[in-house]
Amino acid sequence: MKTKRCGIQGFAAGLAALLIAGTVVADVDQAAAAGDLAEVSALAVEAKANLAAAALGGDVDAITEAGKRSDAVDAAVAAAQEAYSAMERAIAGGDQDAASTAFDDLKAAVQAARDAFSGVVPESIAKSAHDQWKESQTNTGGGPGRAGDAPNIYDVPWQSQGLRSFYQGLFGSFWSSSAFGGSRGFGERDATPE
Amino acid sequence: MNRNGFVLTAVAGAALFCAMPMAARADSAALEEAKTYVTRAEAAVSDARAAIENGKSALVRVPEDSPLMEDVKQMLESAAENWAVAVESLKGASESAAKVGTASSESVAKDYALLAKVNAGVAVSGSRVVQIALRYVEAVADNKTESLDIIRASMQDATAAASQVQFNYERVKTLIAEKYSK
């Protein structure tokens, strides 16, 4: 009996120590997460202000650099907003694990925004918008536009040999039947009777 | 009291004794953080004030018959609105930061620090929008037409982002209020 009482008391002491030490996992702090969203949006405004200042200065390199940083911050803001939405959905669904994961993603996006503002720009954003578009194009058979675009029904594939031959044949028969073509055409005879 | 009871009481007492200075350290960290945000906001508002002074002299140089006069007017209106928001938010941030030091608990101190942070964010974003608007006026006054498109696009994006900052500030206020109304 004495052993059993000691065991129970020992267990109670251990549990008390655990609770007091705060090792119980707390719920995600939604207010703090909203505060982080406000912070990254404020960083986006500051990045735009720097871009405007660079534009006024007229230095092309400075404008390009400010533009890249601003784009990188915008990308981080989008990621942060997505993470916050995922966190809200997880909290509403009662999934604390998913909410914690989304909160961690939000923190990572906030850090990415701070890094981008300071000049650490991810390579994918450092490329120009045109380069990124070009790389994203799939093979459309050599024609213009993107794979998902609707076909241009007025577009004539002049570069195809079949069409060239068709039109050359048409022209050939037109020329032959004209006053200038075939046996009536310009030939060896004199232009005017002498 | 038997030996085991004594040990249990001693552990609980020691834990409470250690927790009290930890709470005090957390409060002072929150206070320092809040002060940092307020200092940053004060610097941004000061920059905006300087930009307004420069803008006044730039406006005089804009010809009255300039085709961009309508754009300049819109920029100035936007600057005026955002200046009012920035000044009001800086006041709010300072008040929230002052309450961190006198908060009744660590949790309340953290909430005031968070309010100071988001208020300061609104002040900073408002100030930067003012600066962008006045840079546009300066570009028109100095006939730097090649930069107008970039500044105009920056102004649109910055205004949208600033409204996001204000939206999240309202969200934080609501969430904190909900916590204390439960």
Side-chain angles (χ1 to χ4, degrees):
Chain A
M1 277 301 274
K2 200 173 178 182
T3 313
K4 193 178 174 182
R5 208 183 310 137
C6 286
I8 290 168
Q9 283 173 346
F11 174 74
L15 184 61
L18 200 65
L19 285 170
I20 289 163
T23 54
V24 174
V25 175
D27 285 346
V28 163
D29 188 347
Q30 219 173 336
D36 287 340
L37 262 193
E39 183 189 338
V40 293
S41 297
L43 273 178
V45 177
E46 292 208 70
K48 295 297 175 203
N50 290 343
L51 176 57
L56 192 62
D59 181 351
V60 173
D61 291 336
I63 292 170
T64 308
E65 178 61 26
K68 281 180 189 166
R69 291 189 189 192
S70 177
D71 290 344
V73 171
D74 287 344
V77 169
Q81 283 170 343
E82 213 178 292
Y84 187 87
S85 301
M87 191 189 76
E88 270 188 318
R89 285 194 298 271
I91 290 172
D95 188 348
Q96 280 301 321
D97 286 340
S100 293
T101 306
F103 187 72
D104 292 341
D105 290 343
L106 174 61
K107 286 289 182 198
V110 169
Q111 189 55 47
R114 288 178 191 149
D115 291 342
F117 186 73
S118 309
V120 180
V121 176
E123 205 186 299
S124 58
I125 291 165
K127 288 184 194 155
S128 70
H130 177 73
D131 289 340
Q132 287 180 60
W133 171 83
K134 211 166 169 187
E135 278 183 17
S136 73
Q137 299 312 297
T138 53
N139 183 10
T140 57
R146 293 167 291 193
D149 287 346
N152 178 7
I153 58 172
Y154 304 106
D155 187 21
V156 181
W158 296 111
Q159 63 273 30
S160 75
Q161 190 53 49
L163 206 60
R164 279 192 197 129
S165 305
F166 172 68
Y167 277 98
Q168 280 166 358
L170 270 184
F171 181 73
S173 12
F174 173 74
W175 179 256
S176 305
S177 62
S178 71
F180 308 100
S183 57
R184 298 180 303 279
F186 298 114
E188 298 293 325
R189 66 166 192 230
D190 293 336
T192 54
E194 290 293 334
Chain B
M1 186 188 287
N2 62 12
R3 190 177 55 182
N4 292 332
F6 175 76
V7 167
L8 186 61
T9 311
V11 164
L16 273 169
F17 184 74
C18 290
M20 278 165 56
M22 277 172 65
R25 275 199 293 275
D27 280 357
S28 71
L31 183 61
E32 283 310 308
E33 208 179 301
K35 281 181 180 169
T36 306
Y37 287 122
V38 170
T39 305
R40 218 178 283 166
E42 282 169 349
V45 167
S46 176
D47 289 344
R49 193 175 284 118
I52 289 171
E53 291 308 313
N54 289 340
K56 282 178 186 169
S57 56
L59 189 59
V60 168
R61 299 200 304 273
V62 175
E64 275 186 31
D65 57 351
S66 166
L68 296 166
M69 195 42 118
E70 203 49 48
D71 281 356
V72 166
K73 278 183 193 164
Q74 282 179 4
M75 288 290 180
L76 290 174
E77 279 169 13
S78 184
E81 279 170 23
N82 281 277
W83 173 247
V85 166
V87 168
E88 197 59 37
S89 301
L90 178 60
K91 206 169 91 176
S94 303
E95 283 170 6
S96 299
K99 287 179 182 168
V100 172
T102 57
S104 55
S105 70
E106 188 192 331
S107 163
V108 172
K110 272 173 126 173
D111 290 336
Y112 274 125
L114 181 58
L115 280 172
K117 174 183 168 181
V118 288
N119 250 322
V122 175
V124 166
S125 54
S127 302
R128 298 300 183 216
V129 170
V130 168
Q131 285 179 269
I132 297 172
L134 293 163
R135 286 203 169 103
Y136 187 86
V137 175
E138 215 177 305
V140 171
D142 296 340
N143 207 23
K144 291 182 178 176
T145 49
E146 66 282 353
S147 61
L148 288 176
D149 283 341
I150 297 176
I151 299 176
R152 202 181 287 120
S154 298
M155 181 69 176
Q156 283 169 356
D157 294 342
T159 310
S163 68
Q164 279 296 310
V165 180
Q166 291 183 39
F167 175 76
N168 283 299
Y169 161 66
E170 295 297 332
R171 201 185 238 167
V172 166
K173 263 195 339 186
T174 306
L175 286 166
I176 290 176
E178 275 173 13
K179 201 163 84 170
Y180 290 103
S181 65
K182 282 181 190 165

